[in-house]
Amino acid sequence: VQLQASGGGLVQPGGSLRLSCAASGYAFSISDMGWYRQAPGKQRELVASISRGGTTNYADNVKGRFTISGDNAKNTVYLQMNSLKPEDMAVYYCHARRRLNPTTTSDYWGQGTLVTVSS
């Protein structure tokens, strides 16, 4: 599975950005996709995830501001980020989990896209 992320950039506080991540390869076996982020000096953390069935999960600090959605036909996941804050500034990584068999999964990561929130 290969993940191609796009959409990062510079935005002012209160602004919006939309990240996209397209999966290719064995994308048909992906069970869920999502976004993680890593700020300087901090651990990578989950931002949001979505299962192939549409179940979503959000970190508490982005609930109500970020929305994750997916297009199964395109094997693409989107992260709409509104009301961005300086603390949202980080490198955002697309993640996909592929189910290899009933008891085994494999994780894949995109190359990371930088989101800068600054005036």
Side-chain angles (χ1 to χ4, degrees):
V1 173
Q2 294 81 44
L3 301 174
Q4 183 65 46
S6 61
L10 172 64
V11 64
Q12 293 185 342
S16 298
L17 278 178
R18 188 191 194 209
L19 305 183
S20 300
C21 178
S24 60
Y26 287 92
F28 62 90
S29 58
I30 290 175
S31 59
D32 55 273
M33 294 182 69
W35 293 92
Y36 285 70
R37 67 186 181 187
Q38 187 168 19
K42 294 187 176 181
Q43 290 188 331
R44 190 174 296 189
E45 62 177 1
L46 173 69
V47 177
S49 65
I50 184 168
S51 71
R52 184 168 286 276
T55 301
T56 58
N57 181 43
Y58 294 93
D60 287 342
N61 53 11
V62 306
K63 284 180 180 177
R65 300 188 297 121
F66 291 10
T67 302
I68 191 168
S69 60
D71 185 334
N72 288 338
K74 296 182 179 180
N75 293 310
T76 299
V77 64
Y78 307 95
L79 184 68
Q80 178 66 42
M81 304 185 292
N82 298 329
S83 303
L84 281 160
K85 304 175 181 180
E87 52 262 43
D88 294 318
M89 185 163 59
V91 177
Y92 283 69
Y93 295 91
C94 179
H95 168 262
R97 177 157 294 161
R98 178 183 163 214
R99 182 158 296 281
L100 304 179
N101 59 53
T103 59
T104 306
T105 59
S106 183
D107 292 319
Y108 301 85
W109 296 93
Q111 79 277 18
T113 184
L114 178 63
V115 171
T116 303
V117 184
S118 176
S119 55

